[in-house]
Amino acid sequence: MTEHAVVIVGGGPTGLMLAGEMALARVDVAIVERRPSQDLAGSRAGGLHSRTIEVLDQRGIADRFLSQGRVAQVAGFSLIPLDISDFPTRHNYGLGLWQNHIERILADWVHELRVPLYYGIEVTGFAQDDTGVAVVLSDGQSLRAQYLVGCDGGRSLIRKAAGIEFPGWEPTTSNLIAEVEMAQEPEWGFRRDALGLHSLSKSAEGGRVRVLVTEQHVGPTTEPTLRDLSEALIPVYGTDYGIHSPTWISRFTDMARQASSYRNGRVLLAGDAAHVHAPDGGQGLNTGVQDAVNLGWKLAQVVNRTSPESLLDTYHAERHPVAARVLRNTMASVALRRADERTKALRDTVTELLGMVEPRRRLAAEISGLGIHYDLGEGHPLLGRRMPDLDLVTANGPLRVFTLLHHARPVLLNLGESGGFDITPWADRVQLIDAKYVGTWELPAIGPVTAPTAVLVRPDGYVAWVGDQTQVGLADALTTWFGPPAAAQRTVHSGA
């Protein structure tokens, strides 16, 4: 039996990001992926939102993605564009980049961090006890881990085997997407009718056609066929244009479901295993990657015995409401796409509202991820929100905030009088940086906020404490998020 501290099931974007986070914390982590390689049939998700690009920037790898994709304004609600070019962030845009490229870049990063990947193998079952999880593999081998994380998609075996409920709403519509060859020249472009949205466009791989078509009825859960695609095209276009030689065909619906809990003992869920919804707004992949960044440092601290196991409870508490909002706005987006006259009237009204500055900023901040707010209690507007990537001035020269997060280590940023803080009991875990910043503090959808004297920034880039050199509440915040002071460390153990 091979042992790892953490086993991740699923090597998609969420699983890869989580593995990278674990490896940065020097946790022995491995991925089990049922595909024989990282190759991905089909385009799947098509881009990254602003906050996800920021997260990648926090780890020093954003340029790898930006160099491969196309910068664009990608935020939108039910095809109503939401421009974020006036948002206070270095990345006030999205990135057009297909999921197969996103996965390839993440996999390269994970390989650099020496994470083992077990390709071509499925998890067939597991059993957890007080000290870990025994994981059974399809090749007859088994793994032993302290924790098991299911990043294995909407039909997650891990979620089902853990007995975690997946309540939600059944699909009302379904679409086929495909890449095919056509014997006849098709009618290019978008079309909207009583069924829904349809599109025929030229693939980046010359000579092929990328197809999006809404089906007349909700399709079955079985894998779609070329005949299914033909039968969906004919009612819309009057022909199937002689489709043949599909590279891939896939079906998606507007089903919306969310795991009732993101954790059962030593088993956790992230990404599509925890939440599924319509692809409206392109939020699925982005939400999963951000799940991973929220969970990664917390799970690492528990495995490394820096923090008690109760820290894992904050993962569900923080991320479950975020995905619940995504489900809500995607359901609303789908409803607004209907072509009947009453819905069209409502759509016109919503379009007018989103043309106004404040409604546009509020919804765009939510969809882009820049407006995420974890409930960490009352206090400064920064508390529980993303730390802006400020240009700091330090004794050693200029420094970006995100540079301090490249190794996924927390930082106490002192912007007041130098030497005003002593965090010696946490010095092995938390960086203390004295710096100055001259400029306005501004948050997306919030606007300007009062400049703080000091902030405690978690590895995921969210602010855990705001205060001054009186240090009121600082020791409690350090203990809550990064474990007891050094003198008390010996009492901390997994399960405490």
Side-chain angles (χ1 to χ4, degrees):
M1 181 181 289
T2 304
E3 294 193 11
H4 297 283
V6 175
V7 168
I8 298 168
V9 183
T14 301
L16 290 167
M17 192 73 208
L18 180 59
E21 295 290 291
M22 298 270 92
L24 287 174
R26 293 183 168 82
V27 169
D28 174 17
V29 61
I31 296 175
V32 179
E33 167 56 48
R34 66 181 182 180
R35 289 175 290 171
S37 70
Q38 205 64 50
D39 293 341
L40 181 68
S43 57
R44 311 292 174 177
L48 301 174
H49 277 299
S50 177
R51 179 55 190 158
T52 306
I53 301 170
E54 284 195 339
V55 163
L56 298 168
D57 200 355
Q58 290 172 185
R59 297 300 178 257
I61 58 174
D63 287 347
R64 304 185 188 194
F65 297 85
L66 292 170
S67 66
Q68 298 291 311
R70 182 173 57 86
V71 168
Q73 291 297 327
V74 302
F77 178 70
S78 196
L79 296 183
I80 303 166
L82 300 171
D83 193 320
I84 65 167
S85 60
D86 60 345
F87 275 22
T89 166
R90 292 182 198 276
H91 305 292
N92 53 359
Y93 49 77
L95 187 71
L97 187 64
W98 292 115
Q99 183 173 332
N100 55 341
H101 299 300
I102 294 170
E103 287 196 18
R104 173 178 48 78
I105 297 167
L106 281 173
D108 287 345
W109 178 55
V110 167
H111 287 309
E112 290 170 17
L113 295 171
R114 301 177 182 273
V115 174
L117 284 94
Y118 297 92
Y119 283 115
I121 299 174
E122 294 191 53
V123 170
T124 58
F126 63 85
Q128 62 171 311
D129 53 41
D130 291 341
T131 60
V133 187
V135 184
V136 182
L137 304 179
S138 58
D139 65 353
Q141 303 294 313
S142 60
L143 301 173
R144 176 77 180 177
Q146 293 179 42
Y147 290 91
L148 178 67
V149 186
C151 301
D152 53 337
R155 299 175 185 174
S156 172
L157 178 144
I158 304 303
R159 184 189 65 239
K160 294 171 184 174
I164 297 174
E165 294 183 358
F166 202 42
W169 295 267
E170 293 296 330
T172 64
T173 183
S174 66
N175 294 73
L176 293 174
I177 53 173
E179 191 172 271
V180 298
E181 293 184 21
M182 289 184 169
Q184 306 163 31
E185 180 86 3
E187 178 186 323
W188 302 109
F190 270 99
R191 175 186 286 199
R192 184 200 298 270
D193 60 20
L195 283 178
L197 293 174
H198 320 281
S199 172
L200 299 173
S201 59
K202 293 180 180 179
S203 169
E205 291 73 32
R208 293 189 168 274
V209 179
R210 192 178 295 276
V211 179
L212 164 68
V213 62
T214 304
E215 296 182 277
Q216 283 188 293
H217 308 287
V218 176
T221 57
T222 53
E223 288 297 316
T225 64
L226 191 63
R227 181 174 179 177
D228 291 335
L229 186 60
S230 173
E231 291 176 350
L233 284 167
I234 290 171
V236 178
Y237 295 97
T239 176
D240 67 1
Y241 297 108
I243 54 169
H244 63 94
S245 307
T247 305
W248 52 269
I249 307 173
S250 183
R251 173 182 282 116
F252 66 84
T253 75
D254 66 336
M255 179 174 68
R257 293 186 179 277
Q258 185 176 22
S260 57
S261 174
Y262 283 13
R263 177 186 173 208
N264 179 353
R266 292 179 173 271
V267 179
L268 299 110
L269 304 174
D272 289 355
H275 41 77
V276 296
H277 49 82
D280 289 51
Q283 299 168 87
L285 182 153
N286 292 270
T287 304
V289 167
Q290 292 173 52
D291 285 346
V293 175
N294 184 285
L295 174 60
W297 64 275
K298 296 173 181 177
L299 184 54
Q301 288 182 182
V302 172
V303 168
N304 290 332
R305 302 194 172 193
T306 303
S307 294
E309 195 174 11
S310 57
L311 180 63
L312 295 179
D313 294 336
T314 68
Y315 168 58
H316 172 94
E318 292 179 352
R319 294 303 299 173
H320 193 277
V322 171
R325 296 276 298 187
V326 172
L327 261 66
R328 191 185 78 168
N329 72 47
T330 55
M331 290 171 69
S333 176
V334 170
L336 209 58
R337 283 201 270 111
R338 294 178 185 137
D340 63 272
E341 291 301 318
R342 285 175 170 78
T343 304
K344 286 167 68 176
L346 176 60
R347 181 183 176 81
D348 289 344
T349 302
V350 172
T351 301
E352 289 179 13
L353 289 172
L354 292 179
M356 301 174 186
V357 174
E358 289 307 314
R360 187 260 304 173
R361 284 180 176 169
R362 181 65 59 91
L363 190 55
E366 182 172 319
I367 290 174
S368 66
L370 293 170
I372 290 171
H373 178 214
Y374 299 138
D375 184 7
L376 304 188
E378 297 296 320
H380 192 281
L382 274 169
L383 189 64
R385 289 189 168 90
R386 55 177 273 289
M387 177 67 186
D389 185 24
L390 307 177
D391 288 306
L392 304 173
V393 177
T394 74
N396 297 319
L399 184 68
R400 283 175 54 198
V401 168
F402 284 4
T403 304
L404 296 169
L405 299 173
H406 281 186
H407 299 290
R409 289 190 62 208
V411 58
L412 175 60
L413 189 60
N414 173 30
L415 299 163
E417 184 180 342
S418 295
F421 288 88
D422 180 8
I423 58 167
T424 301
W426 290 273
D428 59 329
R429 287 158 270 163
V430 182
Q431 307 168 79
L432 174 58
I433 303 293
D434 292 329
K436 300 293 182 185
Y437 173 69
V438 179
T440 303
W441 288 70
E442 188 176 358
L443 298 175
I446 300 295
V449 299
T450 305
T453 302
V455 290
L456 179 62
V457 185
R458 308 189 320 190
D460 57 0
Y462 289 84
V463 176
W465 173 84
V466 182
D468 54 34
Q469 292 177 353
T470 62
Q471 303 187 38
V472 174
L474 177 58
D476 287 343
L478 287 165
T479 301
T480 296
W481 298 110
F482 312 119
Q489 272 296 301
R490 62 182 177 272
T491 66
V492 177
H493 58 87
S494 186

mmCIF file of all heavy atoms in Angstrom, residues 165-196:
data_model
loop_
_atom_site.group_PDB
_atom_site.id
_atom_site.type_symbol
_atom_site.label_atom_id
_atom_site.label_comp_id
_atom_site.label_asym_id
_atom_site.label_seq_id
_atom_site.Cartn_x
_atom_site.Cartn_y
_atom_site.Cartn_z
ATOM 1 N N GLU A 165 -25.137 14.395 0.428
ATOM 2 C CA GLU A 165 -26.287 14.681 -0.422
ATOM 3 C C GLU A 165 -25.954 15.791 -1.427
ATOM 4 O O GLU A 165 -25.073 16.629 -1.190
ATOM 5 C CB GLU A 165 -27.495 15.082 0.426
ATOM 6 C CG GLU A 165 -28.013 13.947 1.308
ATOM 7 C CD GLU A 165 -29.250 14.353 2.091
ATOM 8 O OE1 GLU A 165 -29.667 15.529 1.977
ATOM 9 O OE2 GLU A 165 -29.797 13.507 2.821
ATOM 10 N N PHE A 166 -26.699 15.787 -2.540
ATOM 11 C CA PHE A 166 -26.424 16.720 -3.644
ATOM 12 C C PHE A 166 -27.752 17.326 -4.103
ATOM 13 O O PHE A 166 -28.191 17.126 -5.235
ATOM 14 C CB PHE A 166 -25.741 15.954 -4.779
ATOM 15 C CG PHE A 166 -24.934 16.794 -5.732
ATOM 16 C CD1 PHE A 166 -24.112 17.814 -5.291
ATOM 17 C CD2 PHE A 166 -24.974 16.527 -7.101
ATOM 18 C CE1 PHE A 166 -23.352 18.557 -6.180
ATOM 19 C CE2 PHE A 166 -24.215 17.265 -7.998
ATOM 20 C CZ PHE A 166 -23.396 18.287 -7.535
ATOM 21 N N PRO A 167 -28.396 18.100 -3.225
ATOM 22 C CA PRO A 167 -29.723 18.635 -3.560
ATOM 23 C C PRO A 167 -29.639 19.754 -4.589
ATOM 24 O O PRO A 167 -28.590 20.373 -4.792
ATOM 25 C CB PRO A 167 -30.222 19.165 -2.213
ATOM 26 C CG PRO A 167 -28.975 19.540 -1.475
ATOM 27 C CD PRO A 167 -27.949 18.516 -1.883
ATOM 28 N N GLY A 168 -30.791 20.011 -5.236
ATOM 29 C CA GLY A 168 -30.817 21.099 -6.207
ATOM 30 C C GLY A 168 -31.998 20.998 -7.136
ATOM 31 O O GLY A 168 -33.063 20.501 -6.760
ATOM 32 N N TRP A 169 -31.798 21.430 -8.371
ATOM 33 C CA TRP A 169 -32.873 21.553 -9.343
ATOM 34 C C TRP A 169 -32.549 20.741 -10.593
ATOM 35 O O TRP A 169 -31.428 20.777 -11.099
ATOM 36 C CB TRP A 169 -33.065 23.021 -9.709
ATOM 37 C CG TRP A 169 -33.536 23.850 -8.553
ATOM 38 C CD1 TRP A 169 -34.832 24.152 -8.222
ATOM 39 C CD2 TRP A 169 -32.713 24.475 -7.556
ATOM 40 N NE1 TRP A 169 -34.861 24.922 -7.092
ATOM 41 C CE2 TRP A 169 -33.576 25.134 -6.654
ATOM 42 C CE3 TRP A 169 -31.326 24.532 -7.326
ATOM 43 C CZ2 TRP A 169 -33.107 25.849 -5.552
ATOM 44 C CZ3 TRP A 169 -30.855 25.240 -6.231
ATOM 45 C CH2 TRP A 169 -31.743 25.886 -5.360
ATOM 46 N N GLU A 170 -33.536 20.042 -11.109
ATOM 47 C CA GLU A 170 -33.373 19.239 -12.317
ATOM 48 C C GLU A 170 -33.230 20.156 -13.542
ATOM 49 O O GLU A 170 -33.685 21.309 -13.526
ATOM 50 C CB GLU A 170 -34.577 18.320 -12.511
ATOM 51 C CG GLU A 170 -34.694 17.231 -11.439
ATOM 52 C CD GLU A 170 -33.523 16.256 -11.468
ATOM 53 O OE1 GLU A 170 -32.950 16.038 -12.555
ATOM 54 O OE2 GLU A 170 -33.175 15.732 -10.397
ATOM 55 N N PRO A 171 -32.660 19.665 -14.630
ATOM 56 C CA PRO A 171 -32.485 20.508 -15.818
ATOM 57 C C PRO A 171 -33.801 20.839 -16.504
ATOM 58 O O PRO A 171 -34.739 20.041 -16.500
ATOM 59 C CB PRO A 171 -31.589 19.653 -16.722
ATOM 60 C CG PRO A 171 -31.814 18.242 -16.276
ATOM 61 C CD PRO A 171 -32.058 18.324 -14.804
ATOM 62 N N THR A 172 -33.860 22.031 -17.085
ATOM 63 C CA THR A 172 -35.021 22.433 -17.888
ATOM 64 C C THR A 172 -34.656 22.565 -19.361
ATOM 65 O O THR A 172 -35.535 22.651 -20.213
ATOM 66 C CB THR A 172 -35.568 23.788 -17.411
ATOM 67 O OG1 THR A 172 -34.573 24.811 -17.627
ATOM 68 C CG2 THR A 172 -35.921 23.747 -15.930
ATOM 69 N N THR A 173 -33.360 22.585 -19.651
ATOM 70 C CA THR A 173 -32.898 22.722 -21.031
ATOM 71 C C THR A 173 -31.541 22.056 -21.173
ATOM 72 O O THR A 173 -30.821 21.903 -20.171
ATOM 73 C CB THR A 173 -32.801 24.209 -21.441
ATOM 74 O OG1 THR A 173 -32.425 24.313 -22.814
ATOM 75 C CG2 THR A 173 -31.790 24.955 -20.592
ATOM 76 N N SER A 174 -31.205 21.637 -22.388
ATOM 77 C CA SER A 174 -29.891 21.042 -22.607
ATOM 78 C C SER A 174 -29.337 21.490 -23.942
ATOM 79 O O SER A 174 -30.080 21.822 -24.874
ATOM 80 C CB SER A 174 -29.948 19.509 -22.539
ATOM 81 O OG SER A 174 -30.701 18.969 -23.594
ATOM 82 N N ASN A 175 -28.033 21.519 -24.027
ATOM 83 C CA ASN A 175 -27.328 21.943 -25.242
ATOM 84 C C ASN A 175 -26.307 20.904 -25.634
ATOM 85 O O ASN A 175 -25.742 20.216 -24.774
ATOM 86 C CB ASN A 175 -26.598 23.265 -25.008
ATOM 87 C CG ASN A 175 -27.536 24.422 -24.750
ATOM 88 O OD1 ASN A 175 -28.127 24.522 -23.685
ATOM 89 N ND2 ASN A 175 -27.686 25.298 -25.729
ATOM 90 N N LEU A 176 -26.065 20.813 -26.919
ATOM 91 C CA LEU A 176 -24.963 20.010 -27.426
ATOM 92 C C LEU A 176 -23.874 20.959 -27.917
ATOM 93 O O LEU A 176 -24.166 21.978 -28.562
ATOM 94 C CB LEU A 176 -25.422 19.109 -28.572
ATOM 95 C CG LEU A 176 -26.411 18.003 -28.204
ATOM 96 C CD1 LEU A 176 -26.889 17.289 -29.461
ATOM 97 C CD2 LEU A 176 -25.791 17.019 -27.235
ATOM 98 N N ILE A 177 -22.640 20.646 -27.597
ATOM 99 C CA ILE A 177 -21.500 21.356 -28.170
ATOM 100 C C ILE A 177 -20.621 20.304 -28.834
ATOM 101 O O ILE A 177 -20.514 19.176 -28.361
ATOM 102 C CB ILE A 177 -20.711 22.161 -27.117
ATOM 103 C CG1 ILE A 177 -20.316 21.283 -25.924
ATOM 104 C CG2 ILE A 177 -21.488 23.376 -26.659
ATOM 105 C CD1 ILE A 177 -19.399 21.983 -24.942
ATOM 106 N N ALA A 178 -20.017 20.683 -29.936
ATOM 107 C CA ALA A 178 -19.245 19.697 -30.693
ATOM 108 C C ALA A 178 -18.275 20.398 -31.625
ATOM 109 O O ALA A 178 -18.393 21.603 -31.903
ATOM 110 C CB ALA A 178 -20.186 18.802 -31.501
ATOM 111 N N GLU A 179 -17.348 19.613 -32.109
ATOM 112 C CA GLU A 179 -16.466 20.058 -33.179
ATOM 113 C C GLU A 179 -16.532 18.991 -34.261
ATOM 114 O O GLU A 179 -16.226 17.824 -34.004
ATOM 115 C CB GLU A 179 -15.041 20.242 -32.670
ATOM 116 C CG GLU A 179 -14.138 20.952 -33.654
ATOM 117 C CD GLU A 179 -12.791 21.283 -33.054
ATOM 118 O OE1 GLU A 179 -12.661 22.372 -32.471
ATOM 119 O OE2 GLU A 179 -11.884 20.441 -33.154
ATOM 120 N N VAL A 180 -16.984 19.405 -35.445
ATOM 121 C CA VAL A 180 -17.262 18.444 -36.514
ATOM 122 C C VAL A 180 -16.784 18.992 -37.853
ATOM 123 O O VAL A 180 -16.392 20.158 -37.967
ATOM 124 C CB VAL A 180 -18.778 18.145 -36.614
ATOM 125 C CG1 VAL A 180 -19.313 17.525 -35.334
ATOM 126 C CG2 VAL A 180 -19.551 19.427 -36.955
ATOM 127 N N GLU A 181 -16.866 18.150 -38.867
ATOM 128 C CA GLU A 181 -16.729 18.598 -40.244
ATOM 129 C C GLU A 181 -18.118 18.629 -40.864
ATOM 130 O O GLU A 181 -19.019 17.878 -40.461
ATOM 131 C CB GLU A 181 -15.809 17.659 -41.026
ATOM 132 C CG GLU A 181 -14.363 17.711 -40.554
ATOM 133 C CD GLU A 181 -13.438 16.849 -41.402
ATOM 134 O OE1 GLU A 181 -13.808 16.546 -42.551
ATOM 135 O OE2 GLU A 181 -12.362 16.483 -40.906
ATOM 136 N N MET A 182 -18.308 19.515 -41.846
ATOM 137 C CA MET A 182 -19.610 19.642 -42.516
ATOM 138 C C MET A 182 -19.414 19.567 -44.021
ATOM 139 O O MET A 182 -18.457 20.134 -44.565
ATOM 140 C CB MET A 182 -20.285 20.962 -42.149
ATOM 141 C CG MET A 182 -20.788 21.022 -40.714
ATOM 142 S SD MET A 182 -21.681 22.565 -40.361
ATOM 143 C CE MET A 182 -22.402 22.154 -38.753
ATOM 144 N N ALA A 183 -20.352 18.880 -44.678
ATOM 145 C CA ALA A 183 -20.271 18.727 -46.131
ATOM 146 C C ALA A 183 -20.696 20.005 -46.844
ATOM 147 O O ALA A 183 -20.310 20.236 -47.996
ATOM 148 C CB ALA A 183 -21.153 17.554 -46.573
ATOM 149 N N GLN A 184 -21.509 20.839 -46.169
ATOM 150 C CA GLN A 184 -21.998 22.076 -46.783
ATOM 151 C C GLN A 184 -21.561 23.271 -45.941
ATOM 152 O O GLN A 184 -21.322 23.144 -44.744
ATOM 153 C CB GLN A 184 -23.535 22.053 -46.847
ATOM 154 C CG GLN A 184 -24.125 20.831 -47.534
ATOM 155 C CD GLN A 184 -25.603 20.674 -47.194
ATOM 156 O OE1 GLN A 184 -26.304 21.650 -46.975
ATOM 157 N NE2 GLN A 184 -26.074 19.432 -47.164
ATOM 158 N N GLU A 185 -21.478 24.426 -46.583
ATOM 159 C CA GLU A 185 -21.158 25.673 -45.871
ATOM 160 C C GLU A 185 -22.328 26.026 -44.957
ATOM 161 O O GLU A 185 -23.467 26.184 -45.422
ATOM 162 C CB GLU A 185 -20.934 26.803 -46.881
ATOM 163 C CG GLU A 185 -20.595 28.139 -46.259
ATOM 164 C CD GLU A 185 -19.112 28.307 -45.973
ATOM 165 O OE1 GLU A 185 -18.327 27.395 -46.319
ATOM 166 O OE2 GLU A 185 -18.732 29.347 -45.413
ATOM 167 N N PRO A 186 -22.109 26.170 -43.645
ATOM 168 C CA PRO A 186 -23.232 26.446 -42.738
ATOM 169 C C PRO A 186 -23.544 27.937 -42.646
ATOM 170 O O PRO A 186 -22.821 28.786 -43.192
ATOM 171 C CB PRO A 186 -22.705 25.935 -41.400
ATOM 172 C CG PRO A 186 -21.229 26.186 -41.466
ATOM 173 C CD PRO A 186 -20.846 25.953 -42.909
ATOM 174 N N GLU A 187 -24.594 28.242 -41.948
ATOM 175 C CA GLU A 187 -24.956 29.627 -41.644
ATOM 176 C C GLU A 187 -24.170 30.043 -40.396
ATOM 177 O O GLU A 187 -24.468 29.620 -39.286
ATOM 178 C CB GLU A 187 -26.464 29.721 -41.386
ATOM 179 C CG GLU A 187 -26.941 31.109 -41.013
ATOM 180 C CD GLU A 187 -28.414 31.121 -40.620
ATOM 181 O OE1 GLU A 187 -29.193 30.380 -41.246
ATOM 182 O OE2 GLU A 187 -28.751 31.855 -39.680
ATOM 183 N N TRP A 188 -23.149 30.849 -40.588
ATOM 184 C CA TRP A 188 -22.254 31.189 -39.487
ATOM 185 C C TRP A 188 -22.909 32.170 -38.520
ATOM 186 O O TRP A 188 -23.775 32.968 -38.894
ATOM 187 C CB TRP A 188 -20.947 31.807 -40.017
ATOM 188 C CG TRP A 188 -20.175 30.931 -40.963
ATOM 189 C CD1 TRP A 188 -20.015 31.115 -42.295
ATOM 190 C CD2 TRP A 188 -19.459 29.736 -40.630
ATOM 191 N NE1 TRP A 188 -19.250 30.104 -42.836
ATOM 192 C CE2 TRP A 188 -18.886 29.254 -41.832
ATOM 193 C CE3 TRP A 188 -19.234 29.023 -39.457
ATOM 194 C CZ2 TRP A 188 -18.111 28.096 -41.884
ATOM 195 C CZ3 TRP A 188 -18.469 27.876 -39.501
ATOM 196 C CH2 TRP A 188 -17.920 27.427 -40.696
ATOM 197 N N GLY A 189 -22.464 32.114 -37.282
ATOM 198 C CA GLY A 189 -22.878 33.108 -36.295
ATOM 199 C C GLY A 189 -23.893 32.589 -35.291
ATOM 200 O O GLY A 189 -24.241 31.396 -35.264
ATOM 201 N N PHE A 190 -24.364 33.519 -34.445
ATOM 202 C CA PHE A 190 -25.336 33.212 -33.392
ATOM 203 C C PHE A 190 -26.760 33.268 -33.925
ATOM 204 O O PHE A 190 -27.069 34.022 -34.851
ATOM 205 C CB PHE A 190 -25.211 34.217 -32.239
ATOM 206 C CG PHE A 190 -24.236 33.811 -31.176
ATOM 207 C CD1 PHE A 190 -22.959 34.332 -31.155
ATOM 208 C CD2 PHE A 190 -24.602 32.911 -30.181
ATOM 209 C CE1 PHE A 190 -22.048 33.970 -30.173
ATOM 210 C CE2 PHE A 190 -23.712 32.543 -29.201
ATOM 211 C CZ PHE A 190 -22.431 33.063 -29.186
ATOM 212 N N ARG A 191 -27.611 32.492 -33.285
ATOM 213 C CA ARG A 191 -29.033 32.555 -33.577
ATOM 214 C C ARG A 191 -29.776 32.310 -32.261
ATOM 215 O O ARG A 191 -29.386 31.468 -31.463
ATOM 216 C CB ARG A 191 -29.422 31.497 -34.617
ATOM 217 C CG ARG A 191 -30.921 31.442 -34.873
ATOM 218 C CD ARG A 191 -31.309 30.293 -35.790
ATOM 219 N NE ARG A 191 -30.959 30.545 -37.186
ATOM 220 C CZ ARG A 191 -31.504 29.877 -38.202
ATOM 221 N NH1 ARG A 191 -32.393 28.931 -37.976
ATOM 222 N NH2 ARG A 191 -31.127 30.137 -39.432
ATOM 223 N N ARG A 192 -30.832 33.057 -32.046
ATOM 224 C CA ARG A 192 -31.680 32.855 -30.873
ATOM 225 C C ARG A 192 -33.110 32.619 -31.357
ATOM 226 O O ARG A 192 -33.614 33.364 -32.208
ATOM 227 C CB ARG A 192 -31.637 34.080 -29.958
ATOM 228 C CG ARG A 192 -32.437 33.902 -28.658
ATOM 229 C CD ARG A 192 -32.754 35.258 -28.048
ATOM 230 N NE ARG A 192 -31.566 35.989 -27.691
ATOM 231 C CZ ARG A 192 -30.973 35.918 -26.496
ATOM 232 N NH1 ARG A 192 -31.494 35.146 -25.573
ATOM 233 N NH2 ARG A 192 -29.894 36.634 -26.241
ATOM 234 N N ASP A 193 -33.767 31.586 -30.826
ATOM 235 C CA ASP A 193 -35.158 31.325 -31.180
ATOM 236 C C ASP A 193 -35.892 30.799 -29.959
ATOM 237 O O ASP A 193 -35.390 30.879 -28.832
ATOM 238 C CB ASP A 193 -35.247 30.357 -32.367
ATOM 239 C CG ASP A 193 -34.604 28.997 -32.079
ATOM 240 O OD1 ASP A 193 -34.425 28.647 -30.892
ATOM 241 O OD2 ASP A 193 -34.280 28.280 -33.047
ATOM 242 N N ALA A 194 -37.086 30.256 -30.175
ATOM 243 C CA ALA A 194 -37.896 29.788 -29.053
ATOM 244 C C ALA A 194 -37.223 28.661 -28.277
ATOM 245 O O ALA A 194 -37.499 28.466 -27.092
ATOM 246 C CB ALA A 194 -39.264 29.334 -29.565
ATOM 247 N N LEU A 195 -36.354 27.910 -28.941
ATOM 248 C CA LEU A 195 -35.650 26.831 -28.248
ATOM 249 C C LEU A 195 -34.528 27.360 -27.354
ATOM 250 O O LEU A 195 -34.283 26.852 -26.270
ATOM 251 C CB LEU A 195 -35.049 25.850 -29.266
ATOM 252 C CG LEU A 195 -35.986 24.863 -29.941
ATOM 253 C CD1 LEU A 195 -35.211 24.025 -30.956
ATOM 254 C CD2 LEU A 195 -36.661 23.965 -28.912
ATOM 255 N N GLY A 196 -33.812 28.376 -27.856
ATOM 256 C CA GLY A 196 -32.684 28.899 -27.097
ATOM 257 C C GLY A 196 -31.606 29.448 -28.010
ATOM 258 O O GLY A 196 -31.892 29.969 -29.100
#
